[in-house]
Structure formats: C-alpha cells, structure tokens
Amino acid sequence: MFAAPTATRRHGAAGDASLRQKRVLTRMRLVDKFAILGLSLSLALIGCTSQGLNQPTTSMPTSNTSMTSGLVTSAPLETATSSQTLPVYWLGSSNDDVFLYREFVPAQSSDDPIVAALRVIMGGKPLDPDYFSIWNNPSRLGASISAKNVITIDLSADAFGNKVDQGIAERSISQLVYTATAAAAMAGLVDTSTSIQVSILVDGHTGYKAFGQVTLEKPLTRGADFVAPVWIIDPANGSHFNTLPLKVAGQAVSPTGSLVWSLSHVVGDKVGEHYLGGTVSIEQGPNELGEFSFSLVPPPGSYELSVYVEDPAAPGKKLGLDTKIVTISEPSVK
C-alpha cells in the first residue's frame, strides 16, 4: 500500500535468496489459486483485468488475500527526459488483486506537468481498456514543490465523489502519489537522489478522509506493494505497426528470473489460436523487480501479446498475467 516515509529496506545476501524465492513463489501461487475461485474464464483468455472498457472497480475482488503483499519490494522513480509525454498510473486487476500500471500520454496542455498528469488520471481514460481510475475530475487542482523535496497536492473534495472500499481507496491514493512523483521526476523538478514525499491537501487542509476510507494526515512516499508484478510497458494496448521488428519491453519480478511470453491471433474481438511463444529473462535476476525486452517478427495481423510468470510446480498456470492487443500491417509502399 502507500506508505509514510520509512528507512530504505535492506535485504540479506545469499542466505536470504532461497527464502525470498520461496516466499515470492508461494504468494504468486496463492494469488493464482484464489483467482480461479473469484474470476471468470474470460479473464484467463483476454487479459489482465476482468473489467474491460475502462469500467472502474469500486471494491476489491472477494477472493482477495494479503498474500500479494511484498511481491514487489522496490519502486524506482522515473528518470528525467525531454520527451513531451506525461507518465500516468492507472489501476488494473490481475488474478485476485489490483495493481498500478503506467502509461505515457502526450502532454496536451500548458499546465504544470504534475497537474497535467493528475488531470489525466482524474478526468481522462487509459489507453488500455483493462485499466481504470475511480477519481472524479476536481473543480480545483494545484501542485507545488518545496525545497525539501515535498510535493504538495491541493485539490477540491469533489475529486472523491465515488464510493469505494478501503482497498481501492488505498490504491487510488497510491495512484496519485505515483503519478505526481513520476511527473515531477521526468520533468526534472525534484531531486531524485533523495526521498520524495507527497502531501495531499483537500480544500487547503490536511486530515480529510479520502473516499470515506483513508485519512490524509502525513506526507506519503511510494509504497511498493501495489506495483504490478508483471507489466508490459511497450507496446501500448491497441498499437498499430507497419515496420518490424515488434519491440517488447516491460518490468516484472519472478522467483526464477524468467518470464513466459506468447502471441495469439485475434479475430474480431476474440482471442484465437496460439501463434508463437517463448521465454525472456529479467535483467536483474530472480526475486528483483527488473526490466525485460525482446523482439518479434510476426506476419501482418492482429495479436494478443501475453507476458506472465509460469509456476514451476504447476506448468500452465499464468501468474501476474499482463496482455496487450497489437496490429501488424503490411509495410507501406513509398
């Protein structure tokens, strides 16, 4: 969940590695076990959420457990860039939990980048129909940054109009914290070598009970518990390409340091026959949130790209599944 500032978490070396691998794998197995009870077969077929079409989830899945807590143990900041895009975080369901997923959107206003990014998650729609947000577009929204690396967000109470349970409320506050810190870091507005805190004011005051569930009293930092365990960053959902190779990149954590990917044909709005599959390594190795990348050269057509962790004890189980729909067109003739 989101967190008040804490000391940097430290891990043991070789002695902890085996224990951490078992703990991560056990959590992921339990996530998958309970998800089977709580989600329909269509989730297993079509992607990382059961919602689709950006329909917001106002309560946690009934099968939710705390076993996913600690699956991801670090939450690195974005790096500064001159790109005219904004990093925004959305909520998305995977198995029996709800996680944070990031997208990049064009910067289309002259607003401060923090305010502009928050406006997207509070009034816009994700590119991926599997993602969602329960925020309302506030009538007033502002941001400032202190010399002590504290971002202060001041917004009106109408942003919290939706009724949600505590789990979704906590994740939505974390969504705000991640989006604000990401936008500030990418714009070079904060010192990313030190901790960045986010103070949330509602109509100029602290102590507001957000969504009727979470009291906003202290500055918050990024908490790692809500970061998606497997996350395709590129390509974006719905992307069209007329040049190859198709470059895939993302981040994930796996007890083995390896992920499984697959490419399946899409006909109409149905996922059909499996076309191609393989494995890819996470650069940082087992039990560490890290980056993965690979390239594909499929023939023209529409495909569902899937990336997931396969449980070594139960081959075929797709843990932390994330999917994107992509279309490959014939190369354009000049």
Side-chain angles (χ1 to χ4, degrees):
M1 61 185 292
F2 59 88
T6 58
T8 302
R9 186 173 180 177
R10 303 184 64 88
H11 302 289
D16 280 344
S18 177
L19 177 61
R20 290 172 60 203
Q21 179 169 339
K22 291 178 181 178
R23 184 174 69 246
V24 170
L25 186 55
T26 298
R27 286 170 177 154
M28 296 186 85
R29 285 176 183 160
L30 285 171
V31 168
D32 189 65
K33 175 181 177 182
F34 285 107
I36 293 172
L37 298 174
L39 298 180
S40 67
L41 179 62
S42 62
L43 171 61
L45 294 176
I46 65 172
C48 73
T49 85
S50 61
Q51 301 303 312
L53 301 178
N54 309 131
Q55 295 299 309
T57 295
T58 58
S59 60
M60 295 294 293
T62 56
S63 57
N64 178 256
T65 74
S66 62
M67 299 308 295
T68 55
S69 177
L71 196 62
V72 178
T73 57
S74 63
L77 273 168
E78 286 74 5
T79 55
T81 176
S82 59
S83 173
Q84 296 299 307
T85 59
L86 297 171
V88 294
Y89 281 82
W90 305 101
L91 304 185
S93 300
S94 181
N95 296 45
D96 76 330
D97 213 332
V98 176
F99 296 105
L100 295 174
Y101 296 85
R102 187 188 62 203
E103 291 183 332
F104 291 98
V105 299
Q108 296 180 336
S109 75
S110 59
D111 283 341
D112 167 276
I114 300 173
V115 171
L118 293 178
R119 284 287 184 195
V120 173
I121 68 169
M122 294 175 177
K125 290 185 177 181
L127 300 174
D128 191 324
D130 290 336
Y131 301 162
F132 65 93
S133 178
I134 55 85
W135 291 94
N136 286 340
N137 196 10
S139 55
R140 187 174 59 81
L141 174 64
S144 62
I145 303 174
S146 75
K148 295 183 178 181
N149 239 26
V150 177
I151 301 171
T152 298
I153 307 298
D154 192 351
L155 70 166
S156 49
D158 51 356
F160 303 92
N162 287 316
K163 185 177 181 180
V164 300
D165 69 7
Q166 183 168 348
I168 296 298
E170 290 173 344
R171 285 157 175 78
S172 296
I173 296 300
S174 190
Q175 177 193 8
L176 181 152
V177 170
Y178 266 77
T179 298
T181 52
M186 280 190 60
L189 301 177
V190 289
D191 180 1
T192 57
S193 66
T194 63
S195 176
I196 303 173
Q197 300 178 38
V198 178
S199 178
I200 304 174
L201 306 181
V202 179
D203 294 322
H205 302 284
T206 61
Y208 185 81
K209 199 164 188 178
F211 304 106
Q213 301 285 352
V214 180
T215 303
L216 303 173
E217 294 180 313
K218 299 178 181 179
L220 305 171
T221 59
R222 288 186 167 200
D225 287 351
F226 298 153
V227 176
V230 179
W231 170 12
I232 302 171
I233 297 175
D234 289 311
N237 191 74
S239 296
H240 289 70
F241 300 91
N242 58 12
T243 59
L244 293 172
L246 170 63
K247 297 180 179 179
V248 180
Q251 68 176 31
V253 59
S254 164
T256 63
S258 180
L259 302 167
V260 178
W261 61 265
S262 67
L263 202 63
S264 298
H265 291 285
V266 174
V267 180
D269 59 352
K270 303 292 184 182
V271 178
E273 181 182 356
H274 172 79
Y275 169 69
L276 193 65
T279 60
V280 61
S281 296
I282 299 171
E283 293 179 8
Q284 285 72 7
N287 305 308
E288 295 290 343
L289 183 67
E291 299 175 352
F292 66 86
S293 62
F294 57 96
S295 296
L296 302 172
V297 188
S302 292
Y303 300 91
E304 181 189 67
L305 170 67
S306 303
V307 180
Y308 56 92
V309 175
E310 185 174 64
D311 187 342
K317 284 191 175 182
K318 301 177 180 180
L319 309 179
L321 174 68
D322 192 18
T323 68
K324 305 292 180 187
I325 301 296
V326 298
T327 298
I328 309 298
S329 302
E330 294 282 357
S332 56
V333 179
K334 296 184 179 179

